[in-house]
């Protein structure tokens, strides 16, 4: 499903990173652990095709991302990759439901699929569908971000530091929530974090 | 969730700056459409009233005043001219027909003009009721005079000396309404028309009272009589070459050419209209600037949102389109507001202008200026959106997402 090969990236006038190779199958979870400055976010952006590596390649569902040009890479990302950023960000001017619908329409999927509401219900925030993102609590926002990442039925979900701001109890709960929902919808999950508490929670991990 | 819906939601989110841009655009568009419509209608009306009149003969004085008073009935007469000279002129072979006008009296602000039935046929006036005058003191009302004065067939009224209501009334004799005209869209609508004799009779009656003079024969009276002006239509363009010069040099009267005087008037008014139109355009440019600035500001604020949309699969071009759509929506709203403002302005002008300047503007259907203002406004929107849209297009999403 996901495979990297000799990925490396150099910032102009900045640090350069080389990343270990890894491989991930459907419904598997991979933990990428690393301290600040080890290139976690860089790796995430390379996996998402938001940046191009200087060397190496990223294969998603046997499609080499690095071979796609700008526009088709955008569209490929929209269809196949869901991203949950560290701080959940939304389009402020529209509702939670419209944020989900926007994600679907940008991925070229039909707008008004009941799947969006099913997801919100599954994540326990179905009643917030018509609220603005600014009216949600931090926890609700994270759930909404998960729902948005999954609403396009992606093959892979990338999560950036989903637990680092949480206490132990919530850390465990959120980690389970991610694992359960993402793999439950048939996607593979990559968690990029410095949170050592997750180290023993997942079998498969790489350290940077 | 379509891009257009999102554009609309974003505009609603930035309500105040949206309102500012829409209002500026609206005022600019409204001003331009108002000015253009008014000047077009003014031209149109002025041209309709002088159609077919090649020359106006009246007492010496300002030629423009003569045209304004004799043709448009909006200024004071320059004086009277002796009928003897008029009759001599009338026989000139190059004159196709001429229409005598005697004016100076009014009734409740509506001018009473003594003329002959040629005046009615010249303006193609037809009767909705009654018929042309047959006796002295019979009058025919123009359509809006009849309506505004609320006079009916068979009504009687006393005329006033002069054009305002304070003039002394001709109490001794009253006019009888014998006909009412259909609307012609010309100056005839606003007049009270009667025979030249009626005007003479009223004023001779006054003089007779003062002078205690008795009997003089009708012919003598007519030869000694005066009229205020004569509208002339030539048989051929040769008339313009010869007659005005002849009148001005060899008689005590002056000849004025409506076409020339009205062109002079236009060039005077034109300065005002052009100035107002430029102000309108400047306001539209300021509106464009306001659209530009508000888009740019909201872009800074939404840098992260736009990067987010890219991460959700939007192409750079889609973001470009989003910004352009926001701008076009703004401009469409401004255009709509402007058209409404322009039309309200015209309604107000015709409401107040009708009494004060005898000028009414009417707007039926879509004016041409309203049509060409639409692409113009949308162009402004495109230009204002260009730089912000290019910025959105070019934004480096990865660095935006990293520096959250």
């Amino acid at each position: 499903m996901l495979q990297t090969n000799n990925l490396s990236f150099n910032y102009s006038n900045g640090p350069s990173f080389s990343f270990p190779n890894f491989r991930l199958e459907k419904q598997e979870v991979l933990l990428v652990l690393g301290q600040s400055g080890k290139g976690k976010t860089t790796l995430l952006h390379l996996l998402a095709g938001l940046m191009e590596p200087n060397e190496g390649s990223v294969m998603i569902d046997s499609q080499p991302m690095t071979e796609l040009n700008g526009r088709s890479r955008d569209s490929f990302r929209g269809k196949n990759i869901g991203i949950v950023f560290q701080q959940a960000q939304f389009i402020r001017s529209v509702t939670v439901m419209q944020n989900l619908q926007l994600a679907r329409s940008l991925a070229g999927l039909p707008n008004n699929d009941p799947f969006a509401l099913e997801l919100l219900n599954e994540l326990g925030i179905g009643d917030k569908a018509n609220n603005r993102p600014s009216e949600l609590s931090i926890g609700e926002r994270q759930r909404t971000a998960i729902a948005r990442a999954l609403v396009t039925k992606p093959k892979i979900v990338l999560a950036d530091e989903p637990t680092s701001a949480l206490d132990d109890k919530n850390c465990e709960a959120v980690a389970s929530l991610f694992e359960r929902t993402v793999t439950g919808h048939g996607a593979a999950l990559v968690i990029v974090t410095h949170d050592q508490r997750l180290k023993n929670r997942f079998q498969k991990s790489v350290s940077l | 969730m379509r891009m257009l819906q999102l554009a609309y939601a974003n505009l609603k989110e930035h309500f105040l700056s949206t309102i500012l841009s829409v209002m500026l655009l609206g005022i600019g568009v409204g001003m331009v459409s108002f000015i253009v419509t008014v000047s077009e209608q003014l031209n149109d009306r002025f041209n309709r009233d002088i159609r077919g009149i090649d020359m106006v003969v009246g007492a010496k004085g300002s030629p423009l005043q003569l045209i304004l008073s004799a043709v448009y009935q909006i200024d004071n007469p320059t004086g009277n001219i002796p009928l003897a000279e008029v009759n001599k002129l009338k026989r000139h072979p190059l004159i196709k027909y001429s229409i005598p006008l005697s004016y100076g009296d009014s009734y409740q602000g509506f001018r009473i003009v003594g003329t002959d039935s040629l005046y009615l046929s010249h303006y193609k006036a037809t009767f909705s009721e009654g018929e042309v005058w047959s006796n002295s003191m019979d009058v025919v009302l123009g359509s809006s005079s009849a309506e505004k004065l609320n006079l009916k067939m068979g009504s009687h009224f006393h005329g006033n000396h002069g054009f305002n209501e304070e003039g002394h009334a001709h109490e001794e004799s009253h006019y009888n309404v014998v006909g009412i005209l259909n609307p012609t869209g010309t100056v005839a609508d606003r007049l009270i028309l009667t025979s030249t004799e009626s005007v003479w009779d009223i004023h001779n009656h006054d003089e007779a009272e003062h002078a205690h003079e008795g009997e003089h024969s009708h012919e003598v009276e007519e030869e000694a009589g005066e009229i205020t002006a004569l509208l002339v239509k030539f048989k051929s363009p040769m008339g313009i070459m010869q007659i005005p010069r002849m009148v001005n040099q060899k008689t005590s009267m002056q000849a004025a050419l409506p076409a020339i005087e009205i062109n002079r008037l236009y060039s005077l008014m034109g300065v005002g209209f052009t100035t107002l139109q430029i102000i309108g355009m400047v306001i539209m440019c300021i509106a464009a600037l306001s659209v530009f600035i508000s888009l740019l500001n909201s872009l800074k604020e939404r840098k992260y949102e736009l990067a987010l949309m890219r991460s959700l699969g939007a192409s750079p071009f889609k973001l470009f389109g989003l910004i352009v759509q926001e701008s076009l929506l703004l401009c469409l709203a401004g255009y709509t507001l402007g058209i409404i403002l322009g039309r309200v302005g015209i309604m107000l002008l015709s409401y107040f202008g009708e009494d004060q300047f005898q000028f009414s503007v009417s707007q039926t259907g879509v004016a041409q200026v309203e049509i060409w203002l639409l692409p113009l406004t949308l162009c402004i929107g495109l230009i204002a959106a260009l730089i912000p849209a290019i910025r959105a297009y070019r934004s480096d999403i990865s660095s935006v997402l990293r520096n959250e």
Side-chain angles (χ1 to χ4, degrees):
Chain A
M1 186 61 68
L2 170 70
Q3 188 175 358
T4 66
N5 190 19
N6 296 325
L7 270 184
S8 72
F9 189 86
N10 312 315
Y11 285 95
S12 46
N13 313 322
S16 51
F17 301 105
S18 315
F19 301 102
N21 295 341
F22 48 84
R23 191 190 166 86
L24 196 62
E25 295 306 325
K26 204 176 167 189
Q27 292 179 303
E28 270 192 319
V29 181
L30 173 72
L31 191 67
V32 179
L33 274 166
Q35 294 305 312
S36 313
K38 293 284 188 187
K40 290 193 303 288
T41 306
T42 305
L43 177 61
L44 190 102
H45 286 187
L46 288 174
L47 293 179
L50 295 170
M51 294 193 306
E52 277 185 80
N54 294 90
E55 272 173 62
S57 66
V58 179
M59 295 262 281
I60 289 177
D61 201 20
S62 48
Q63 165 70 52
M65 278 273 271
T66 26
E67 279 174 22
L68 294 169
N69 64 8
R71 199 166 178 165
S72 45
R73 197 164 63 215
D74 286 327
S75 134
F76 183 84
R77 181 190 318 117
K79 287 190 176 71
N80 297 295
I81 305 174
I83 311 173
V84 182
F85 293 103
Q86 184 170 8
Q87 284 198 338
Q89 289 282 348
F90 303 95
I91 308 294
R92 273 165 289 183
S93 53
V94 299
T95 64
V96 165
M97 179 52 98
Q98 286 172 319
N99 265 282
L100 263 59
Q101 288 173 344
L102 181 70
R104 278 185 72 85
S105 99
L106 289 176
L109 297 169
N111 241 322
N112 291 317
D113 200 275
F115 182 52
L117 191 61
E118 282 168 28
L119 263 179
L120 289 177
N121 282 328
E122 184 185 331
L123 288 158
I125 44 172
D127 56 330
K128 304 287 180 188
N130 294 318
N131 287 50
R132 292 287 189 92
S134 57
E135 296 162 344
L136 303 181
S137 71
I138 293 194
E140 287 166 343
R141 278 185 212 179
Q142 195 173 37
R143 284 155 185 264
T144 307
I146 298 173
R148 186 182 55 200
L150 284 171
V151 77
T152 55
K153 301 190 173 161
K155 304 210 165 64
I156 289 178
V157 172
L158 306 173
D160 193 5
E161 301 280 14
T163 56
S164 42
L166 304 173
D167 59 33
D168 290 352
K169 192 173 150 230
N170 282 310
C171 171
E172 171 54 30
V174 166
S176 310
L177 179 70
F178 266 85
E179 185 176 23
R180 195 177 64 239
T181 23
V182 173
T183 58
H185 286 279
L189 172 64
V190 178
I191 296 176
V192 178
T193 187
H194 71 263
D195 193 346
Q196 296 295 330
R197 291 174 294 181
L198 292 178
K199 195 170 181 177
N200 304 320
R201 173 96 189 32
F202 298 102
Q203 296 147 5
K204 200 162 180 173
S205 71
V206 268
S207 290
L208 301 180
Chain B
M1 193 75 209
R2 305 197 144 272
M3 281 296 118
L4 197 62
Q5 278 174 281
L6 185 58
Y8 174 71
N10 284 332
L11 290 179
K12 242 173 54 181
E13 190 76 2
H14 300 98
F15 188 69
L16 285 178
S17 67
T18 299
I19 285 290
L20 177 69
S21 301
V22 169
M23 292 231 304
L24 277 171
L25 264 170
I27 290 169
V29 168
M31 226 167 132
V32 172
S33 96
F34 175 80
I35 295 302
V36 171
T37 308
V38 169
S39 69
E40 267 173 8
Q41 295 218 2
L42 213 57
N43 282 7
D44 183 51
R45 220 202 72 186
F46 271 39
N47 288 333
R48 232 182 308 165
D49 286 353
I50 60 168
R51 193 169 300 151
I53 300 173
D54 296 326
M55 178 180 80
V56 179
V57 177
K60 288 213 187 294
S62 148
L64 182 57
Q65 188 187 350
L66 177 59
I67 302 291
L68 288 178
S69 69
V71 180
Y72 300 110
Q73 298 290 340
I74 46 179
D75 204 346
N76 292 318
T78 47
N80 287 337
I81 49 177
L83 204 55
E85 275 194 287
V86 171
N87 284 337
K88 221 189 291 169
L89 177 67
K90 271 173 134 175
R91 288 192 284 270
H92 196 286
L94 282 174
I95 290 177
K96 190 173 175 193
Y97 61 84
S98 61
I99 306 168
L101 296 178
S102 306
Y103 46 94
D105 284 3
S106 66
Y107 172 63
Q108 292 189 8
F110 284 81
R111 295 187 175 204
I112 301 169
V113 176
T115 181
D116 61 29
S117 55
L118 263 177
Y119 191 84
L120 298 177
S121 53
H122 179 85
Y123 285 116
K124 300 189 172 58
T126 52
F127 284 87
S128 80
E129 279 180 89
E131 52 180 21
V132 73
W133 52 83
S134 43
N135 299 313
S136 171
M137 304 310 289
D138 286 350
V139 298
V140 168
L141 301 176
S143 60
S144 61
S145 322
E147 192 187 325
K148 294 278 156 56
L149 292 171
N150 205 13
L151 290 173
K152 304 257 172 326
M153 290 289 291
S155 300
H156 302 297
F157 62 90
H158 296 286
N160 281 0
H161 195 67
F163 292 137
N164 44 33
E165 285 162 46
E166 289 88 48
H168 89 86
H170 295 297
E171 301 259 338
E172 318 73 29
S173 37
H174 59 75
Y175 292 104
N176 317 307
V177 179
V178 298
I180 294 171
L181 299 175
N182 287 317
T184 60
T186 66
V187 57
D189 293 352
R190 296 176 282 112
L191 298 178
I192 298 168
L193 297 163
T194 183
S195 62
T196 310
E197 288 75 22
S198 308
V199 177
W200 284 338
D201 284 353
I202 281 225
H203 292 93
N204 284 337
H205 191 102
D206 283 5
E207 277 163 31
E209 260 189 4
H210 297 301
H212 298 291
E213 258 179 298
E215 327 249 312
H216 33 214
S217 81
H218 198 67
E219 280 96 282
V220 175
E221 197 179 296
E222 208 168 75
E223 276 302 305
E226 291 180 322
I227 61 169
T228 321
L230 186 72
L231 307 178
V232 179
K233 167 102 182 137
F234 296 129
K235 269 187 190 136
S236 75
M238 279 296 286
I240 294 191
M241 312 290 288
Q242 297 182 7
I243 302 179
R245 184 186 298 176
M246 186 201 83
V247 171
N248 286 333
Q249 288 177 353
K250 298 198 173 148
T251 69
S252 64
M253 309 180 287
Q254 75 157 328
L257 302 175
I260 290 178
E261 296 308 319
I262 288 314
N263 271 342
R264 242 180 39 172
L265 187 67
Y266 283 163
S267 61
L268 287 175
M269 289 192 311
V271 177
F273 281 136
T274 313
T275 313
L276 287 174
Q277 223 168 311
I278 289 173
I279 294 175
M281 292 288 189
V282 168
I283 294 177
M284 281 173 76
C285 289
I286 296 174
L289 200 66
S290 150
V291 172
F292 171 74
I293 292 172
S294 71
L295 284 178
L296 215 57
N297 274 340
S298 86
L299 209 61
K300 266 183 219 156
E301 209 178 300
R302 287 189 296 159
K303 207 168 57 171
Y304 204 94
E305 283 188 17
L306 292 174
L308 184 76
M309 285 174 64
R310 288 289 309 281
S311 81
L312 290 171
S315 63
F317 189 74
K318 206 144 203 177
L319 301 190
F320 183 92
L322 175 67
I323 304 296
V324 169
Q325 284 181 51
E326 282 181 26
S327 176
L328 291 184
L329 265 184
L330 265 181
C331 290
L332 213 57
Y335 170 79
T336 313
L337 178 71
I339 295 305
I340 292 170
L341 285 180
R343 287 185 170 231
V344 167
I346 282 166
M347 269 164 58
L348 288 178
L349 180 75
S350 55
Y351 181 76
F352 291 110
E354 199 151 23
D355 294 340
Q356 288 196 9
F357 316 108
Q358 318 257 299
F359 173 64
S360 72
V361 256
S362 59
Q363 198 160 33
T364 46
V366 183
Q368 225 175 351
V369 52
E370 294 177 335
I371 295 171
W372 64 253
L373 272 171
L374 181 61
L376 184 74
T377 318
L378 295 183
C379 268
I380 285 181
L382 274 182
I383 293 166
L386 207 58
I387 291 176
I390 288 173
R391 280 208 185 179
Y393 182 90
R394 283 201 185 148
S395 65
D396 176 2
I397 43 172
S398 175
S399 70
V400 171
L401 290 173
R402 217 167 324 117
N403 305 327
E404 43 191 345

